[in-house]
Amino acid sequence: VQFGRYLLRAAQFDFGLSYQFRQPVSQLLAERMPATLELALCATIFALAFGILMGVYSALRRDTALAKLFQAISLIGVSLPTFLIGILLIYLFAV
């Protein structure tokens, strides 16, 4: 019953009150949504641009060392779980 009430309220974007900030959770989500969408859009554009360029280069020059490096990087990126890639990128770009 309690979970059903939660789902009904969540469908109406009423997520309750944050214990830490003492504000409605929906208000906190709305404040942080623009930065989140900007980051997601920039990351998508970055990934598409580099992925397409690396793929085209690898298709045109198959036997070069750089093409094999691009293929290895893409294989590692596809094979590793996203949570592990996230942790590795945090270590790589951490200050």
Side-chain angles (χ1 to χ4, degrees):
V1 172
Q2 185 177 4
F3 184 66
R5 288 180 186 163
Y6 168 75
L7 288 178
L8 184 63
R9 288 184 183 154
Q12 299 169 356
F13 298 105
D14 179 17
F15 298 108
L17 194 66
S18 169
Y19 293 125
Q20 183 176 0
F21 296 105
R22 305 276 187 233
Q23 293 179 2
V25 174
S26 56
Q27 180 183 351
L28 294 171
L29 289 173
E31 289 173 3
R32 288 157 175 82
M33 189 62 66
T36 302
L37 292 176
E38 180 184 2
L39 179 64
L41 181 67
C42 289
T44 301
I45 291 170
F46 182 76
L48 279 172
F50 278 98
I52 290 171
L53 290 174
M54 286 170 41
V56 169
Y57 182 85
S58 295
L60 293 176
R61 293 182 165 77
R62 276 186 218 199
D63 295 329
T64 63
L66 188 58
K68 291 184 182 194
L69 176 69
F70 286 162
Q71 291 172 0
I73 290 171
S74 66
L75 182 63
I76 290 170
V78 169
S79 300
L80 289 176
T82 54
F83 65 87
L84 184 59
I85 292 173
I87 293 171
L88 292 174
L89 288 175
I90 287 172
Y91 281 132
L92 179 68
F93 293 112
V95 177

Coordinates of all heavy atoms in Angstrom, one line a residue:
V1 N 0.8 -1.2 0.0 CA 0.0 0.0 0.0 C 0.9 1.3 0.0 O 0.6 2.2 -0.7 CB -1.0 0.0 1.2 CG1 -1.7 1.3 1.3 CG2 -1.9 -1.1 1.1
Q2 N 1.9 1.2 0.8 CA 2.8 2.4 0.9 C 3.5 2.6 -0.4 O 3.7 3.8 -0.9 CB 3.8 2.2 2.0 CG 4.7 3.4 2.3 CD 5.7 3.1 3.5 OE1 5.7 2.1 4.0 NE2 6.4 4.2 3.8
F3 N 4.0 1.5 -1.1 CA 4.6 1.7 -2.4 C 3.7 2.2 -3.4 O 4.0 3.0 -4.3 CB 5.2 0.3 -2.8 CG 6.0 0.4 -4.1 CD1 7.2 1.1 -4.1 CD2 5.6 -0.2 -5.2 CE1 7.9 1.2 -5.3 CE2 6.3 -0.2 -6.4 CZ 7.5 0.5 -6.4
G4 N 2.4 1.8 -3.4 CA 1.4 2.2 -4.3 C 1.2 3.7 -4.1 O 1.1 4.5 -5.1
R5 N 1.1 4.2 -2.9 CA 1.0 5.6 -2.6 C 2.2 6.4 -3.2 O 2.0 7.5 -3.7 CB 0.8 5.9 -1.2 CG -0.5 5.4 -0.6 CD -0.6 5.7 0.9 NE -1.8 5.2 1.4 CZ -2.0 5.0 2.7 NH1 -1.1 5.3 3.6 NH2 -3.2 4.4 3.1
Y6 N 3.4 5.8 -3.0 CA 4.6 6.5 -3.5 C 4.5 6.6 -5.0 O 4.8 7.7 -5.6 CB 5.8 5.7 -3.1 CG 7.1 6.2 -3.8 CD1 7.7 7.4 -3.5 CD2 7.6 5.4 -4.8 CE1 8.8 7.8 -4.1 CE2 8.7 5.9 -5.5 CZ 9.3 7.1 -5.2 OH 10.4 7.5 -5.9
L7 N 4.2 5.5 -5.7 CA 4.1 5.6 -7.2 C 3.0 6.6 -7.6 O 3.3 7.3 -8.6 CB 3.8 4.2 -7.7 CG 4.9 3.1 -7.6 CD1 4.4 1.8 -8.2 CD2 6.1 3.6 -8.4
L8 N 1.9 6.7 -6.9 CA 0.9 7.6 -7.3 C 1.4 9.0 -7.2 O 1.2 9.9 -8.0 CB -0.4 7.4 -6.4 CG -1.6 8.3 -6.8 CD1 -2.1 8.0 -8.2 CD2 -2.7 8.1 -5.8
R9 N 2.1 9.3 -6.1 CA 2.7 10.7 -5.9 C 3.8 10.9 -6.9 O 4.0 12.0 -7.3 CB 3.2 10.8 -4.4 CG 2.0 10.9 -3.5 CD 2.5 11.2 -2.1 NE 1.4 11.2 -1.1 CZ 1.5 10.9 0.1 NH1 2.7 10.6 0.6 NH2 0.5 11.0 0.9
A10 N 4.6 9.9 -7.1 CA 5.7 10.1 -8.1 C 5.2 10.4 -9.5 O 5.8 11.2 -10.2 CB 6.6 8.9 -8.1
A11 N 4.1 9.8 -9.8 CA 3.5 10.1 -11.2 C 3.0 11.5 -11.3 O 3.0 12.1 -12.4 CB 2.3 9.1 -11.4
Q12 N 2.8 12.1 -10.1 CA 2.4 13.6 -10.1 C 3.6 14.5 -9.7 O 3.4 15.6 -9.4 CB 1.3 13.8 -9.0 CG 0.0 13.0 -9.3 CD -0.9 13.0 -8.2 OE1 -0.7 13.5 -7.1 NE2 -2.1 12.4 -8.4
F13 N 4.8 13.9 -9.8 CA 6.0 14.6 -9.5 C 6.1 15.2 -8.1 O 6.7 16.2 -7.8 CB 6.3 15.8 -10.5 CG 6.4 15.3 -11.9 CD1 5.4 15.5 -12.9 CD2 7.6 14.6 -12.3 CE1 5.6 15.0 -14.1 CE2 7.8 14.2 -13.6 CZ 6.7 14.4 -14.5
D14 N 5.5 14.5 -7.2 CA 5.6 14.8 -5.7 C 6.4 13.7 -5.1 O 6.0 12.7 -4.7 CB 4.2 14.8 -5.1 CG 4.2 15.1 -3.6 OD1 5.3 15.6 -3.2 OD2 3.2 14.9 -2.9
F15 N 7.7 14.0 -4.9 CA 8.7 13.1 -4.4 C 8.9 13.3 -2.9 O 9.8 12.7 -2.4 CB 10.0 13.2 -5.2 CG 9.9 12.8 -6.6 CD1 10.0 13.8 -7.6 CD2 9.6 11.5 -7.0 CE1 9.8 13.5 -8.9 CE2 9.5 11.3 -8.4 CZ 9.6 12.3 -9.3
G16 N 8.2 14.2 -2.3 CA 8.4 14.4 -0.9 C 9.4 15.5 -0.6 O 9.7 16.3 -1.4
L17 N 9.8 15.5 0.7 CA 10.7 16.5 1.2 C 12.1 15.9 1.4 O 12.2 14.8 2.0 CB 10.1 17.0 2.5 CG 10.7 18.3 3.1 CD1 10.3 19.5 2.1 CD2 10.1 18.6 4.4
S18 N 13.1 16.7 1.0 CA 14.5 16.2 1.2 C 14.8 16.4 2.7 O 14.6 17.4 3.3 CB 15.4 17.1 0.4 OG 16.8 16.8 0.7
Y19 N 15.4 15.3 3.3 CA 15.8 15.4 4.7 C 17.0 16.3 4.9 O 17.1 17.0 5.9 CB 16.1 14.0 5.2 CG 15.0 13.1 5.3 CD1 15.0 11.9 4.7 CD2 13.8 13.5 6.0 CE1 13.9 11.0 4.8 CE2 12.7 12.6 6.1 CZ 12.8 11.4 5.5 OH 11.7 10.6 5.6
Q20 N 17.9 16.3 3.9 CA 19.1 17.1 4.0 C 18.9 18.6 3.7 O 19.4 19.4 4.5 CB 20.2 16.6 3.0 CG 21.5 17.3 3.1 CD 22.5 16.6 2.2 OE1 22.3 15.7 1.5 NE2 23.7 17.2 2.2
F21 N 18.1 18.9 2.7 CA 18.0 20.3 2.3 C 16.7 21.0 2.8 O 16.5 22.2 2.7 CB 18.1 20.5 0.8 CG 19.4 20.1 0.3 CD1 19.6 18.9 -0.4 CD2 20.5 20.9 0.4 CE1 20.8 18.5 -0.9 CE2 21.7 20.6 -0.1 CZ 21.9 19.4 -0.8
R22 N 15.8 20.2 3.3 CA 14.5 20.6 3.8 C 13.7 21.4 2.8 O 13.1 22.4 3.0 CB 14.7 21.5 5.1 CG 15.5 20.9 6.2 CD 14.6 20.1 7.1 NE 15.3 19.7 8.2 CZ 15.4 18.4 8.6 NH1 14.9 17.5 7.9 NH2 16.1 18.1 9.7
Q23 N 13.8 20.9 1.5 CA 13.1 21.5 0.4 C 12.4 20.3 -0.3 O 12.8 19.2 -0.2 CB 14.0 22.2 -0.6 CG 14.7 23.4 0.0 CD 15.6 24.0 -1.0 OE1 15.8 23.5 -2.1 NE2 16.3 25.1 -0.6
P24 N 11.4 20.6 -1.2 CA 10.8 19.6 -2.0 C 11.8 19.0 -3.0 O 12.6 19.7 -3.6 CB 9.7 20.3 -2.7 CG 9.4 21.5 -1.9 CD 10.7 21.9 -1.3
V25 N 11.8 17.7 -3.1 CA 12.7 17.0 -4.0 C 12.5 17.4 -5.4 O 13.5 17.6 -6.2 CB 12.6 15.5 -3.8 CG1 13.5 14.8 -4.8 CG2 13.0 15.1 -2.4
S26 N 11.3 17.7 -5.8 CA 11.0 18.1 -7.2 C 11.6 19.4 -7.5 O 12.1 19.7 -8.6 CB 9.5 18.1 -7.5 OG 8.9 19.0 -6.6
Q27 N 11.7 20.3 -6.5 CA 12.3 21.6 -6.7 C 13.8 21.4 -6.8 O 14.5 22.1 -7.7 CB 12.0 22.5 -5.5 CG 12.7 23.9 -5.6 CD 12.4 24.7 -4.4 OE1 11.6 24.4 -3.5 NE2 13.1 25.9 -4.3
L28 N 14.4 20.6 -6.0 CA 15.9 20.3 -6.2 C 16.2 19.7 -7.5 O 17.2 20.0 -8.1 CB 16.3 19.4 -5.0 CG 16.2 20.0 -3.6 CD1 16.5 18.9 -2.6 CD2 17.2 21.1 -3.5
L29 N 15.4 18.8 -8.0 CA 15.6 18.2 -9.3 C 15.5 19.2 -10.4 O 16.3 19.2 -11.3 CB 14.6 17.1 -9.6 CG 14.8 15.8 -8.8 CD1 13.6 14.8 -9.0 CD2 16.1 15.1 -9.1
A30 N 14.5 20.1 -10.3 CA 14.4 21.2 -11.3 C 15.5 22.1 -11.3 O 15.9 22.6 -12.4 CB 13.1 21.9 -11.1
E31 N 16.1 22.4 -10.2 CA 17.3 23.3 -10.2 C 18.5 22.7 -10.8 O 19.3 23.4 -11.4 CB 17.7 23.6 -8.7 CG 16.7 24.5 -8.0 CD 17.0 24.7 -6.5 OE1 18.0 24.1 -6.1 OE2 16.2 25.4 -5.8
R32 N 18.7 21.4 -10.7 CA 19.9 20.7 -11.2 C 19.7 20.2 -12.6 O 20.6 19.7 -13.3 CB 20.3 19.6 -10.3 CG 20.9 20.2 -9.0 CD 20.7 19.2 -7.9 NE 21.4 19.6 -6.6 CZ 20.8 20.4 -5.8 NH1 19.6 20.9 -6.0 NH2 21.5 20.8 -4.7
M33 N 18.5 20.2 -13.2 CA 18.2 19.6 -14.5 C 18.9 20.3 -15.6 O 19.5 19.6 -16.5 CB 16.7 19.6 -14.7 CG 16.3 18.8 -16.0 SD 16.7 17.0 -15.9 CE 15.7 16.5 -14.6
P34 N 19.0 21.6 -15.7 CA 19.7 22.2 -16.8 C 21.2 21.8 -16.9 O 21.7 21.6 -18.0 CB 19.5 23.7 -16.6 CG 18.3 23.9 -15.7 CD 18.3 22.6 -14.9
A35 N 21.9 21.8 -15.8 CA 23.3 21.4 -15.9 C 23.5 20.0 -16.3 O 24.4 19.6 -17.0 CB 23.9 21.7 -14.5
T36 N 22.6 19.1 -15.8 CA 22.6 17.7 -16.1 C 22.4 17.5 -17.6 O 23.1 16.7 -18.3 CB 21.6 16.9 -15.3 OG1 21.8 17.1 -13.9 CG2 21.6 15.5 -15.7
L37 N 21.4 18.2 -18.2 CA 21.1 18.1 -19.6 C 22.2 18.6 -20.5 O 22.6 18.1 -21.5 CB 19.8 18.8 -19.9 CG 18.5 18.1 -19.4 CD1 17.3 18.9 -19.7 CD2 18.4 16.7 -19.9
E38 N 22.8 19.7 -20.0 CA 24.0 20.3 -20.7 C 25.1 19.3 -20.8 O 25.8 19.1 -21.8 CB 24.4 21.6 -20.1 CG 25.5 22.3 -20.8 CD 26.0 23.6 -20.1 OE1 25.4 23.9 -19.0 OE2 26.9 24.2 -20.6
L39 N 25.4 18.7 -19.6 CA 26.5 17.8 -19.6 C 26.3 16.6 -20.5 O 27.1 16.1 -21.2 CB 26.7 17.3 -18.1 CG 27.8 16.3 -17.9 CD1 29.2 16.9 -18.3 CD2 27.8 15.9 -16.4
A40 N 25.0 16.1 -20.4 CA 24.7 14.9 -21.3 C 24.7 15.2 -22.7 O 25.2 14.4 -23.6 CB 23.3 14.4 -20.9
L41 N 24.3 16.4 -23.1 CA 24.3 16.8 -24.5 C 25.8 17.0 -25.0 O 26.1 16.5 -26.1 CB 23.6 18.1 -24.7 CG 23.5 18.7 -26.2 CD1 22.7 17.7 -27.0 CD2 22.9 20.1 -26.2
C42 N 26.6 17.7 -24.2 CA 28.0 17.8 -24.6 C 28.7 16.5 -24.7 O 29.5 16.3 -25.6 CB 28.7 18.7 -23.6 SG 28.2 20.4 -23.7
A43 N 28.5 15.6 -23.8 CA 29.1 14.3 -23.8 C 28.7 13.5 -25.0 O 29.5 12.8 -25.7 CB 28.8 13.5 -22.5
T44 N 27.4 13.6 -25.4 CA 26.9 12.9 -26.6 C 27.5 13.4 -27.8 O 27.9 12.6 -28.7 CB 25.3 13.0 -26.6 OG1 24.8 12.5 -25.4 CG2 24.8 12.3 -27.8
I45 N 27.6 14.7 -28.0 CA 28.2 15.3 -29.2 C 29.6 14.9 -29.2 O 30.2 14.6 -30.3 CB 28.0 16.9 -29.1 CG1 26.5 17.2 -29.3 CG2 28.8 17.5 -30.2 CD1 26.2 18.6 -29.1
F46 N 30.4 15.0 -28.1 CA 31.8 14.6 -28.1 C 32.0 13.2 -28.5 O 32.8 12.8 -29.3 CB 32.3 14.9 -26.7 CG 33.7 14.6 -26.5 CD1 34.7 15.5 -26.9 CD2 34.2 13.4 -25.8 CE1 36.1 15.2 -26.7 CE2 35.5 13.2 -25.6 CZ 36.4 14.1 -26.1
A47 N 31.2 12.3 -27.9 CA 31.3 10.8 -28.3 C 30.9 10.6 -29.7 O 31.6 9.8 -30.4 CB 30.4 10.0 -27.3
L48 N 29.9 11.2 -30.2 CA 29.5 11.0 -31.6 C 30.6 11.5 -32.6 O 31.0 10.8 -33.5 CB 28.2 11.7 -31.9 CG 27.0 10.9 -31.5 CD1 25.7 11.8 -31.7 CD2 26.8 9.6 -32.3
A49 N 31.1 12.7 -32.3 CA 32.1 13.3 -33.2 C 33.4 12.4 -33.2 O 33.9 12.0 -34.3 CB 32.5 14.7 -32.7
F50 N 33.9 12.0 -32.1 CA 35.1 11.2 -32.0 C 34.9 9.8 -32.5 O 35.7 9.2 -33.2 CB 35.8 11.2 -30.7 CG 36.6 12.4 -30.4 CD1 36.1 13.5 -29.7 CD2 37.9 12.5 -30.9 CE1 36.8 14.7 -29.5 CE2 38.7 13.6 -30.7 CZ 38.1 14.7 -30.0
G51 N 33.7 9.3 -32.2 CA 33.4 7.9 -32.6 C 33.3 7.8 -34.1 O 33.8 6.8 -34.8
I52 N 32.6 8.7 -34.7 CA 32.5 8.7 -36.2 C 33.8 8.9 -36.9 O 34.2 8.2 -37.8 CB 31.4 9.8 -36.7 CG1 30.1 9.3 -36.2 CG2 31.5 10.0 -38.2 CD1 29.0 10.3 -36.4
L53 N 34.6 9.9 -36.4 CA 35.9 10.2 -37.0 C 36.8 9.0 -36.9 O 37.6 8.6 -37.8 CB 36.6 11.4 -36.4 CG 35.9 12.7 -36.7 CD1 36.6 13.8 -35.9 CD2 36.0 13.0 -38.2
M54 N 36.9 8.3 -35.7 CA 37.7 7.1 -35.5 C 37.2 6.0 -36.4 O 38.1 5.3 -36.9 CB 37.7 6.7 -34.0 CG 38.5 7.6 -33.1 SD 38.3 7.4 -31.4 CE 38.3 5.6 -31.2
G55 N 35.9 5.8 -36.5 CA 35.4 4.8 -37.3 C 35.7 4.9 -38.8 O 36.1 4.0 -39.5
V56 N 35.6 6.1 -39.3 CA 35.9 6.4 -40.7 C 37.3 6.2 -41.0 O 37.7 5.6 -42.0 CB 35.4 7.9 -41.1 CG1 35.9 8.3 -42.5 CG2 33.9 7.9 -41.1
Y57 N 38.2 6.7 -40.1 CA 39.6 6.6 -40.3 C 40.0 5.1 -40.3 O 40.8 4.6 -41.1 CB 40.4 7.3 -39.2 CG 41.9 7.2 -39.3 CD1 42.6 8.1 -40.2 CD2 42.6 6.2 -38.7 CE1 43.9 8.0 -40.4 CE2 44.0 6.1 -38.9 CZ 44.6 7.0 -39.7 OH 46.0 6.9 -39.9
S58 N 39.4 4.3 -39.3 CA 39.7 2.9 -39.2 C 39.2 2.1 -40.5 O 39.8 1.1 -40.9 CB 39.1 2.3 -38.0 OG 39.7 2.9 -36.8
A59 N 38.1 2.6 -41.1 CA 37.6 1.9 -42.3 C 38.5 2.2 -43.5 O 38.7 1.4 -44.3 CB 36.2 2.3 -42.5
L60 N 39.0 3.4 -43.6 CA 39.8 3.8 -44.7 C 41.2 3.3 -44.7 O 41.8 3.0 -45.7 CB 39.8 5.4 -44.9 CG 38.4 6.0 -45.2 CD1 38.5 7.5 -45.3 CD2 37.9 5.5 -46.6
R61 N 41.8 3.3 -43.5 CA 43.2 2.8 -43.4 C 43.2 1.7 -42.3 O 43.7 1.9 -41.2 CB 44.0 4.0 -42.9 CG 44.1 5.1 -43.9 CD 45.0 6.2 -43.4 NE 45.4 7.1 -44.4 CZ 44.7 8.1 -45.0 NH1 43.5 8.2 -44.6 NH2 45.2 8.9 -45.9
R62 N 42.8 0.5 -42.8 CA 42.7 -0.6 -41.9 C 44.0 -1.1 -41.2 O 44.0 -1.5 -40.1 CB 42.1 -1.8 -42.6 CG 40.6 -1.8 -42.7 CD 40.2 -3.1 -43.3 NE 39.1 -2.7 -44.2 CZ 38.2 -3.6 -44.6 NH1 38.4 -4.9 -44.3 NH2 37.2 -3.2 -45.3
D63 N 45.0 -1.1 -42.0 CA 46.2 -1.8 -41.5 C 47.2 -0.9 -40.8 O 48.4 -1.3 -40.5 CB 46.9 -2.5 -42.7 CG 46.0 -3.6 -43.2 OD1 45.3 -4.2 -42.4 OD2 46.1 -3.9 -44.4
T64 N 46.9 0.4 -40.6 CA 47.8 1.3 -39.9 C 47.8 1.0 -38.4 O 46.8 0.5 -37.8 CB 47.5 2.7 -40.2 OG1 46.2 3.0 -39.7 CG2 47.5 3.0 -41.7
A65 N 48.8 1.5 -37.7 CA 48.9 1.3 -36.3 C 47.8 2.1 -35.6 O 47.2 1.7 -34.6 CB 50.3 1.7 -35.8
L66 N 47.6 3.3 -36.1 CA 46.6 4.2 -35.5 C 45.2 3.6 -35.6 O 44.4 3.7 -34.6 CB 46.6 5.6 -36.1 CG 45.8 6.7 -35.4 CD1 46.2 6.8 -33.9 CD2 45.9 8.0 -36.2
A67 N 44.9 3.0 -36.7 CA 43.6 2.4 -36.9 C 43.4 1.2 -35.9 O 42.3 1.0 -35.4 CB 43.4 1.9 -38.3
K68 N 44.5 0.4 -35.8 CA 44.4 -0.7 -34.8 C 44.2 -0.2 -33.4 O 43.5 -0.8 -32.6 CB 45.6 -1.6 -35.0 CG 45.6 -2.3 -36.3 CD 46.7 -3.3 -36.4 CE 46.7 -3.9 -37.8 NZ 47.5 -5.1 -38.0
L69 N 44.9 0.9 -33.1 CA 44.7 1.5 -31.7 C 43.3 2.0 -31.5 O 42.7 1.7 -30.5 CB 45.7 2.7 -31.6 CG 45.5 3.5 -30.2 CD1 46.0 2.6 -29.1 CD2 46.3 4.8 -30.3
F70 N 42.7 2.6 -32.5 CA 41.3 3.1 -32.5 C 40.4 1.9 -32.3 O 39.4 1.9 -31.5 CB 40.9 3.8 -33.7 CG 41.5 5.2 -33.8 CD1 41.5 5.9 -35.0 CD2 42.0 5.9 -32.7 CE1 42.0 7.2 -35.1 CE2 42.5 7.2 -32.8 CZ 42.5 7.8 -34.0
Q71 N 40.6 0.8 -33.0 CA 39.8 -0.4 -32.9 C 39.9 -1.0 -31.5 O 38.9 -1.5 -30.9 CB 40.2 -1.4 -34.0 CG 39.8 -1.0 -35.3 CD 40.3 -1.9 -36.4 OE1 41.0 -2.8 -36.1 NE2 40.1 -1.5 -37.7
A72 N 41.1 -1.0 -30.9 CA 41.3 -1.6 -29.6 C 40.6 -0.7 -28.6 O 39.9 -1.2 -27.6 CB 42.8 -1.6 -29.3
I73 N 40.7 0.6 -28.7 CA 40.0 1.5 -27.8 C 38.5 1.3 -27.8 O 37.8 1.2 -26.8 CB 40.4 3.0 -28.0 CG1 41.8 3.2 -27.7 CG2 39.5 3.9 -27.3 CD1 42.4 4.6 -28.1
S74 N 38.0 1.2 -29.0 CA 36.5 1.0 -29.2 C 36.1 -0.4 -28.6 O 35.0 -0.5 -28.0 CB 36.1 1.2 -30.6 OG 36.6 0.2 -31.4
L75 N 36.9 -1.4 -28.8 CA 36.5 -2.7 -28.3 C 36.6 -2.7 -26.8 O 35.7 -3.3 -26.1 CB 37.5 -3.7 -28.8 CG 37.3 -5.2 -28.4 CD1 35.9 -5.7 -28.9 CD2 38.4 -6.1 -28.8
I76 N 37.5 -2.0 -26.2 CA 37.6 -1.9 -24.7 C 36.4 -1.1 -24.2 O 35.7 -1.5 -23.2 CB 38.9 -1.3 -24.3 CG1 40.1 -2.2 -24.5 CG2 38.8 -0.8 -22.8 CD1 41.4 -1.6 -24.3
G77 N 36.0 0.0 -24.9 CA 34.9 0.8 -24.5 C 33.6 0.0 -24.6 O 32.7 0.2 -23.7
V78 N 33.4 -0.8 -25.6 CA 32.2 -1.6 -25.7 C 32.1 -2.8 -24.7 O 31.1 -3.1 -24.2 CB 32.0 -2.1 -27.1 CG1 30.9 -3.1 -27.3 CG2 31.8 -1.0 -28.1
S79 N 33.3 -3.3 -24.4 CA 33.4 -4.6 -23.6 C 33.2 -4.3 -22.1 O 32.7 -5.1 -21.4 CB 34.7 -5.3 -23.8 OG 34.8 -5.7 -25.2
L80 N 33.8 -3.2 -21.6 CA 33.8 -2.9 -20.2 C 32.4 -2.4 -19.7 O 31.7 -1.6 -20.5 CB 34.8 -1.8 -19.8 CG 36.3 -2.3 -19.9 CD1 37.2 -1.1 -19.6 CD2 36.5 -3.4 -18.9
P81 N 32.0 -2.7 -18.5 CA 30.7 -2.2 -18.0 C 30.8 -0.7 -17.8 O 31.9 -0.1 -17.5 CB 30.5 -2.9 -16.7 CG 31.5 -4.0 -16.7 CD 32.6 -3.7 -17.6
T82 N 29.7 0.0 -18.0 CA 29.7 1.5 -17.9 C 30.1 2.0 -16.6 O 30.8 3.0 -16.5 CB 28.4 2.1 -18.3 OG1 27.4 1.5 -17.5 CG2 28.1 1.8 -19.8
F83 N 29.8 1.3 -15.5 CA 30.1 1.8 -14.2 C 31.7 1.7 -14.0 O 32.2 2.5 -13.3 CB 29.4 1.0 -13.0 CG 29.8 -0.5 -13.0 CD1 30.8 -0.9 -12.2 CD2 29.0 -1.4 -13.6 CE1 31.1 -2.3 -12.1 CE2 29.3 -2.7 -13.5 CZ 30.4 -3.2 -12.8
L84 N 32.3 0.7 -14.6 CA 33.8 0.6 -14.5 C 34.4 1.7 -15.3 O 35.4 2.3 -14.9 CB 34.2 -0.8 -14.9 CG 35.7 -1.1 -14.8 CD1 36.1 -0.9 -13.3 CD2 36.0 -2.5 -15.3
I85 N 33.9 1.9 -16.5 CA 34.5 3.0 -17.3 C 34.3 4.4 -16.6 O 35.2 5.2 -16.6 CB 33.8 3.1 -18.7 CG1 34.1 1.8 -19.5 CG2 34.1 4.3 -19.5 CD1 33.3 1.7 -20.8
G86 N 33.2 4.6 -15.9 CA 33.0 5.8 -15.2 C 34.0 6.0 -14.1 O 34.6 7.0 -13.9
I87 N 34.3 4.9 -13.3 CA 35.3 5.0 -12.3 C 36.7 5.2 -12.9 O 37.5 6.1 -12.3 CB 35.3 3.7 -11.4 CG1 34.0 3.6 -10.7 CG2 36.5 3.6 -10.5 CD1 33.8 2.2 -10.0
L88 N 37.0 4.6 -14.0 CA 38.3 4.8 -14.6 C 38.5 6.2 -15.1 O 39.5 6.8 -15.0 CB 38.5 3.8 -15.7 CG 38.7 2.3 -15.3 CD1 38.7 1.4 -16.5 CD2 39.9 2.1 -14.5
L89 N 37.4 6.8 -15.7 CA 37.5 8.2 -16.2 C 37.5 9.2 -15.0 O 38.2 10.2 -15.1 CB 36.2 8.5 -17.0 CG 36.2 7.8 -18.4 CD1 34.9 8.1 -19.1 CD2 37.4 8.2 -19.2
I90 N 36.9 8.8 -13.9 CA 37.1 9.7 -12.7 C 38.5 9.7 -12.3 O 39.1 10.8 -12.0 CB 36.2 9.2 -11.6 CG1 34.7 9.6 -11.9 CG2 36.6 9.9 -10.2 CD1 33.7 8.9 -10.9
Y91 N 39.2 8.6 -12.2 CA 40.6 8.5 -11.9 C 41.4 9.3 -12.9 O 42.4 9.9 -12.5 CB 41.1 7.1 -11.8 CG 40.7 6.4 -10.5 CD1 40.2 5.1 -10.5 CD2 40.9 7.0 -9.3 CE1 39.8 4.5 -9.3 CE2 40.6 6.4 -8.1 CZ 40.0 5.1 -8.1 OH 39.7 4.5 -6.9
L92 N 41.1 9.2 -14.2 CA 41.9 9.8 -15.2 C 41.8 11.3 -15.2 O 42.8 12.0 -15.3 CB 41.4 9.3 -16.6 CG 42.1 9.9 -17.8 CD1 43.6 9.4 -17.8 CD2 41.4 9.5 -19.1
F93 N 40.6 11.8 -14.9 CA 40.4 13.3 -15.0 C 40.3 14.0 -13.6 O 40.1 15.2 -13.5 CB 39.1 13.6 -15.8 CG 39.2 13.3 -17.2 CD1 38.4 12.2 -17.7 CD2 40.0 14.0 -18.0 CE1 38.5 11.9 -19.1 CE2 40.1 13.7 -19.4 CZ 39.4 12.6 -19.9
A94 N 40.5 13.2 -12.5 CA 40.4 13.8 -11.2 C 41.6 14.8 -11.0 O 42.7 14.5 -11.5 CB 40.5 12.7 -10.1
V95 N 41.4 15.8 -10.3 CA 42.4 16.8 -10.0 C 43.3 16.3 -8.9 O 42.9 15.9 -7.9 CB 41.8 18.2 -9.7 CG1 42.9 19.2 -9.4 CG2 41.0 18.6 -10.9

